Amino acid sequence: MDINTFIDNFAGQLDVTPADQIKPETKFRDLEEWSSLIALSIIAMVDEEYGVTLKGADIKSATTVQDLYDTVKGKKAVGT
Amino acid sequence: MSTSYVLRNEYRILRPVTIEDAEFIVKVRNQPHAKGCINDTSLDVEKQREWIREYLKRENEYYWIIETLDGRSIGTSSLYHYDPDKQQLESGRWVLIADAPEGNFFADRVQMRDFVFNILGIKRLVFDVVSTNKQVLKFHRMCGAIETNLQKDALVIQNKSVDMVWFEETPESWASVRPKICRWAGISTDVPYGTVDKITV
């Protein structure tokens, strides 16, 4: 997996924010449209695209898109 | 007097609405983020009390206050418009306060669908969503709800005509997506999820 594809997938869960505004360093909770429903979309996307189950706590402990990517990559590496 | 249920899981409690909840319901339904997404609600608390009095006489209709485990009211949810011929219920009145503490919407969904299909024995659950409420539409689609109809100019909300997207779920459609939703919720796949207590209100 690579960060650019992950960013595309992440941006695909947003309705308003232009995709090119999403960077590894983006603090996703600061996005104006961020909501608990988008967090659920991220959990579903990660499950379907990467076969990894994120928990609410994983999203809560992440600050940036890069943090989330690292969490997914880490979980994928250990097969969880 | 009618039959109702208290639904509990490790994140939320759904307890039947009482007349004392009128003020909270008026408040939650008139929040800025809810306006335009649900039917307009009068600010008159006494009218709301009267509506609840009438609702409490109905059978096969359920209106809950969503509470945190420590008893804080954070929203509402409901099942209504029971059709005995089709064994059908409509789901709606799902509104949360703006600062509702993070719960687990996937777990709540599993519990409600298990309740509807496994405990009430309903064969068809229907609901509609305002067509501009994109995040909620996306949530229902990713949870496997089947889109059945776009109802143009279905309602006038906040003086604007709105289109509604209709969805349905059946025991079969629910069974096919349930394992995935349980995985997303991080809960076991035991059926039914959570506890349900039957009470008289």
Side-chain angles (χ1 to χ4, degrees):
Chain A
M1 63 185 284
D2 70 273
I3 184 73
N4 292 326
T5 310
F6 184 82
I7 286 172
D8 287 346
N9 289 330
F10 184 99
Q13 309 313 310
L14 305 171
D15 291 317
V16 180
T17 313
D20 61 7
Q21 282 188 19
I22 305 300
K23 312 282 185 202
E25 62 273 21
T26 299
K27 293 177 178 176
F28 55 85
R29 263 186 294 276
D30 290 348
L31 297 171
E32 202 174 329
E33 67 170 308
W34 181 259
S35 69
S36 49
L37 285 176
I38 292 177
L40 300 182
S41 294
I42 301 293
I43 291 172
M45 177 276 287
V46 165
D47 182 71
E48 290 180 346
E49 296 293 330
Y50 302 100
V52 167
T53 304
L54 277 184
K55 292 183 176 165
D58 295 322
I59 294 183
K60 212 181 269 184
S61 64
T63 303
T64 64
V65 174
Q66 179 76 50
D67 293 340
L68 265 186
Y69 171 77
D70 291 342
T71 301
V72 174
K73 197 174 175 185
K75 287 194 164 208
K76 197 169 172 62
V78 295
T80 58
Chain B
M1 302 279 266
S2 61
T3 299
S4 195
Y5 297 85
V6 178
L7 279 63
R8 288 187 180 84
N9 64 39
E10 58 260 64
Y11 304 94
R12 297 278 191 256
I13 300 165
L14 268 66
R15 57 126 180 112
V17 158
T18 68
I19 291 166
E20 287 70 38
D21 295 311
E23 195 170 350
F24 173 75
I25 291 172
V26 166
K27 186 176 140 196
V28 77
R29 292 182 65 87
N30 280 292
Q31 299 171 104
H33 76 271
K35 285 190 172 185
C37 296
I38 56 171
N39 283 324
D40 295 338
T41 303
S42 166
L43 291 167
D44 186 334
V45 174
E46 189 47 49
K47 267 189 187 169
Q48 186 64 225
R49 285 194 192 101
E50 190 50 43
W51 189 94
I52 295 170
R53 274 187 207 102
E54 287 305 309
Y55 149 77
L56 288 171
K57 295 174 187 168
R58 299 178 207 160
E59 281 291 341
N60 300 307
E61 185 161 323
Y62 311 97
Y63 196 5
W64 292 280
I65 297 295
I66 306 171
E67 291 184 339
T68 56
L69 297 184
D70 58 4
R72 179 183 168 211
S73 299
I74 58 164
T76 63
S77 182
S78 188
L79 296 168
Y80 46 89
H81 290 166
Y82 175 63
D83 182 332
D85 296 329
K86 294 178 180 169
Q87 285 291 294
Q88 175 178 300
L89 272 172
E90 186 172 335
S91 164
R93 300 175 189 144
W94 183 43
V95 193
L96 291 174
I97 60 171
D99 62 342
E102 206 167 297
N104 187 331
F105 289 153
F106 289 133
D108 295 342
R109 192 176 187 93
V110 171
Q111 181 164 36
M112 184 57 74
R113 268 60 185 173
D114 283 357
F115 172 70
V116 166
F117 296 126
N118 297 93
I119 294 172
L120 295 181
I122 291 298
K123 301 297 179 200
R124 193 163 175 258
L125 180 68
V126 299
F127 53 92
D128 59 353
V129 178
V130 173
S131 65
T132 52
N133 198 353
K134 290 183 177 176
Q135 284 298 329
V136 172
L137 288 170
K138 187 182 281 186
F139 176 66
H140 289 306
R141 286 173 181 138
M142 75 190 185
C143 289
I146 301 157
E147 215 166 307
T148 56
N149 187 31
L150 173 66
Q151 190 179 2
K152 302 288 280 183
D153 301 322
L155 289 173
V156 174
I157 300 178
Q158 298 289 293
N159 298 316
K160 284 183 192 163
S161 178
V162 295
D163 301 339
M164 303 299 288
V165 180
W166 279 91
F167 292 91
E168 72 169 32
E169 291 179 65
T170 64
E172 295 74 26
S173 71
W174 173 238
S176 71
V177 296
R178 189 181 187 279
K180 181 173 79 175
I181 312 294
C182 287
R183 190 168 68 243
W184 295 347
I187 60 175
S188 90
T189 53
D190 294 346
V191 181
Y193 167 66
T195 63
V196 176
D197 294 314
K198 192 174 185 175
I199 61 168
T200 301
V201 292

PDB file of all heavy atoms in Angstrom, chain B residues 180-193:
ATOM      1  N   LYS B 180     -20.419  -8.023   8.287  1.00  0.00           N
ATOM      2  CA  LYS B 180     -19.539  -6.892   7.970  1.00  0.00           C
ATOM      3  C   LYS B 180     -19.751  -5.736   8.943  1.00  0.00           C
ATOM      4  O   LYS B 180     -18.791  -5.155   9.442  1.00  0.00           O
ATOM      5  CB  LYS B 180     -19.856  -6.438   6.531  1.00  0.00           C
ATOM      6  CG  LYS B 180     -19.037  -5.302   6.023  1.00  0.00           C
ATOM      7  CD  LYS B 180     -19.315  -5.039   4.546  1.00  0.00           C
ATOM      8  CE  LYS B 180     -20.601  -4.251   4.339  1.00  0.00           C
ATOM      9  NZ  LYS B 180     -20.831  -3.891   2.919  1.00  0.00           N
ATOM     10  N   ILE B 181     -20.997  -5.449   9.242  1.00  0.00           N
ATOM     11  CA  ILE B 181     -21.282  -4.324  10.142  1.00  0.00           C
ATOM     12  C   ILE B 181     -20.795  -4.647  11.561  1.00  0.00           C
ATOM     13  O   ILE B 181     -20.278  -3.778  12.264  1.00  0.00           O
ATOM     14  CB  ILE B 181     -22.791  -3.968  10.176  1.00  0.00           C
ATOM     15  CG1 ILE B 181     -23.378  -3.858   8.766  1.00  0.00           C
ATOM     16  CG2 ILE B 181     -23.027  -2.670  10.947  1.00  0.00           C
ATOM     17  CD1 ILE B 181     -22.873  -2.744   7.928  1.00  0.00           C
ATOM     18  N   CYS B 182     -20.954  -5.919  11.969  1.00  0.00           N
ATOM     19  CA  CYS B 182     -20.435  -6.322  13.288  1.00  0.00           C
ATOM     20  C   CYS B 182     -18.922  -6.133  13.335  1.00  0.00           C
ATOM     21  O   CYS B 182     -18.376  -5.686  14.347  1.00  0.00           O
ATOM     22  CB  CYS B 182     -20.779  -7.783  13.585  1.00  0.00           C
ATOM     23  SG  CYS B 182     -22.506  -8.057  13.981  1.00  0.00           S
ATOM     24  N   ARG B 183     -18.260  -6.481  12.229  1.00  0.00           N
ATOM     25  CA  ARG B 183     -16.799  -6.310  12.175  1.00  0.00           C
ATOM     26  C   ARG B 183     -16.444  -4.826  12.292  1.00  0.00           C
ATOM     27  O   ARG B 183     -15.563  -4.455  13.050  1.00  0.00           O
ATOM     28  CB  ARG B 183     -16.285  -6.906  10.861  1.00  0.00           C
ATOM     29  CG  ARG B 183     -14.775  -7.019  10.783  1.00  0.00           C
ATOM     30  CD  ARG B 183     -14.321  -7.877   9.614  1.00  0.00           C
ATOM     31  NE  ARG B 183     -14.588  -7.253   8.330  1.00  0.00           N
ATOM     32  CZ  ARG B 183     -15.402  -7.742   7.381  1.00  0.00           C
ATOM     33  NH1 ARG B 183     -16.040  -8.885   7.592  1.00  0.00           N
ATOM     34  NH2 ARG B 183     -15.576  -7.131   6.240  1.00  0.00           N
ATOM     35  N   TRP B 184     -17.145  -3.990  11.546  1.00  0.00           N
ATOM     36  CA  TRP B 184     -16.878  -2.547  11.624  1.00  0.00           C
ATOM     37  C   TRP B 184     -17.163  -2.017  13.034  1.00  0.00           C
ATOM     38  O   TRP B 184     -16.512  -1.075  13.484  1.00  0.00           O
ATOM     39  CB  TRP B 184     -17.728  -1.775  10.614  1.00  0.00           C
ATOM     40  CG  TRP B 184     -17.411  -2.070   9.185  1.00  0.00           C
ATOM     41  CD1 TRP B 184     -16.304  -2.737   8.711  1.00  0.00           C
ATOM     42  CD2 TRP B 184     -18.180  -1.706   8.032  1.00  0.00           C
ATOM     43  NE1 TRP B 184     -16.351  -2.815   7.338  1.00  0.00           N
ATOM     44  CE2 TRP B 184     -17.490  -2.187   6.891  1.00  0.00           C
ATOM     45  CE3 TRP B 184     -19.379  -1.035   7.849  1.00  0.00           C
ATOM     46  CZ2 TRP B 184     -17.964  -2.007   5.593  1.00  0.00           C
ATOM     47  CZ3 TRP B 184     -19.853  -0.853   6.553  1.00  0.00           C
ATOM     48  CH2 TRP B 184     -19.147  -1.330   5.445  1.00  0.00           C
ATOM     49  N   ALA B 185     -18.169  -2.591  13.679  1.00  0.00           N
ATOM     50  CA  ALA B 185     -18.535  -2.125  15.024  1.00  0.00           C
ATOM     51  C   ALA B 185     -17.571  -2.648  16.079  1.00  0.00           C
ATOM     52  O   ALA B 185     -17.518  -2.140  17.195  1.00  0.00           O
ATOM     53  CB  ALA B 185     -19.956  -2.585  15.357  1.00  0.00           C
ATOM     54  N   GLY B 186     -16.820  -3.695  15.722  1.00  0.00           N
ATOM     55  CA  GLY B 186     -15.924  -4.307  16.695  1.00  0.00           C
ATOM     56  C   GLY B 186     -16.679  -5.094  17.746  1.00  0.00           C
ATOM     57  O   GLY B 186     -16.286  -5.141  18.913  1.00  0.00           O
ATOM     58  N   ILE B 187     -17.808  -5.716  17.352  1.00  0.00           N
ATOM     59  CA  ILE B 187     -18.627  -6.475  18.309  1.00  0.00           C
ATOM     60  C   ILE B 187     -18.754  -7.922  17.836  1.00  0.00           C
ATOM     61  O   ILE B 187     -18.468  -8.230  16.671  1.00  0.00           O
ATOM     62  CB  ILE B 187     -20.044  -5.860  18.457  1.00  0.00           C
ATOM     63  CG1 ILE B 187     -20.775  -5.851  17.112  1.00  0.00           C
ATOM     64  CG2 ILE B 187     -19.950  -4.462  19.034  1.00  0.00           C
ATOM     65  CD1 ILE B 187     -22.224  -5.365  17.194  1.00  0.00           C
ATOM     66  N   SER B 188     -19.190  -8.782  18.732  1.00  0.00           N
ATOM     67  CA  SER B 188     -19.356 -10.187  18.371  1.00  0.00           C
ATOM     68  C   SER B 188     -20.551 -10.339  17.425  1.00  0.00           C
ATOM     69  O   SER B 188     -21.407  -9.450  17.344  1.00  0.00           O
ATOM     70  CB  SER B 188     -19.579 -11.034  19.618  1.00  0.00           C
ATOM     71  OG  SER B 188     -20.953 -11.114  19.910  1.00  0.00           O
ATOM     72  N   THR B 189     -20.600 -11.463  16.734  1.00  0.00           N
ATOM     73  CA  THR B 189     -21.694 -11.667  15.780  1.00  0.00           C
ATOM     74  C   THR B 189     -22.868 -12.424  16.414  1.00  0.00           C
ATOM     75  O   THR B 189     -23.769 -12.870  15.712  1.00  0.00           O
ATOM     76  CB  THR B 189     -21.200 -12.430  14.539  1.00  0.00           C
ATOM     77  OG1 THR B 189     -20.540 -13.619  14.978  1.00  0.00           O
ATOM     78  CG2 THR B 189     -20.240 -11.592  13.719  1.00  0.00           C
ATOM     79  N   ASP B 190     -22.863 -12.547  17.760  1.00  0.00           N
ATOM     80  CA  ASP B 190     -23.986 -13.214  18.423  1.00  0.00           C
ATOM     81  C   ASP B 190     -25.295 -12.499  18.104  1.00  0.00           C
ATOM     82  O   ASP B 190     -25.348 -11.277  18.030  1.00  0.00           O
ATOM     83  CB  ASP B 190     -23.805 -13.212  19.953  1.00  0.00           C
ATOM     84  CG  ASP B 190     -22.618 -14.052  20.380  1.00  0.00           C
ATOM     85  OD1 ASP B 190     -22.114 -14.819  19.541  1.00  0.00           O
ATOM     86  OD2 ASP B 190     -22.197 -13.922  21.545  1.00  0.00           O
ATOM     87  N   VAL B 191     -26.360 -13.284  17.921  1.00  0.00           N
ATOM     88  CA  VAL B 191     -27.679 -12.709  17.612  1.00  0.00           C
ATOM     89  C   VAL B 191     -28.624 -12.989  18.776  1.00  0.00           C
ATOM     90  O   VAL B 191     -28.730 -14.120  19.215  1.00  0.00           O
ATOM     91  CB  VAL B 191     -28.274 -13.349  16.332  1.00  0.00           C
ATOM     92  CG1 VAL B 191     -29.630 -12.731  16.013  1.00  0.00           C
ATOM     93  CG2 VAL B 191     -27.318 -13.174  15.151  1.00  0.00           C
ATOM     94  N   PRO B 192     -29.396 -12.034  19.275  1.00  0.00           N
ATOM     95  CA  PRO B 192     -29.304 -10.623  18.921  1.00  0.00           C
ATOM     96  C   PRO B 192     -28.193  -9.943  19.705  1.00  0.00           C
ATOM     97  O   PRO B 192     -27.822 -10.398  20.791  1.00  0.00           O
ATOM     98  CB  PRO B 192     -30.677 -10.083  19.330  1.00  0.00           C
ATOM     99  CG  PRO B 192     -31.061 -10.912  20.509  1.00  0.00           C
ATOM    100  CD  PRO B 192     -30.491 -12.290  20.245  1.00  0.00           C
ATOM    101  N   TYR B 193     -27.724  -8.824  19.172  1.00  0.00           N
ATOM    102  CA  TYR B 193     -26.702  -8.039  19.868  1.00  0.00           C
ATOM    103  C   TYR B 193     -27.394  -7.142  20.898  1.00  0.00           C
ATOM    104  O   TYR B 193     -28.418  -6.544  20.629  1.00  0.00           O
ATOM    105  CB  TYR B 193     -25.932  -7.189  18.853  1.00  0.00           C
ATOM    106  CG  TYR B 193     -25.091  -6.127  19.494  1.00  0.00           C
ATOM    107  CD1 TYR B 193     -24.004  -6.477  20.292  1.00  0.00           C
ATOM    108  CD2 TYR B 193     -25.382  -4.782  19.333  1.00  0.00           C
ATOM    109  CE1 TYR B 193     -23.239  -5.506  20.910  1.00  0.00           C
ATOM    110  CE2 TYR B 193     -24.612  -3.805  19.939  1.00  0.00           C
ATOM    111  CZ  TYR B 193     -23.550  -4.173  20.734  1.00  0.00           C
ATOM    112  OH  TYR B 193     -22.791  -3.212  21.348  1.00  0.00           O
TER     113      TYR B 193
END
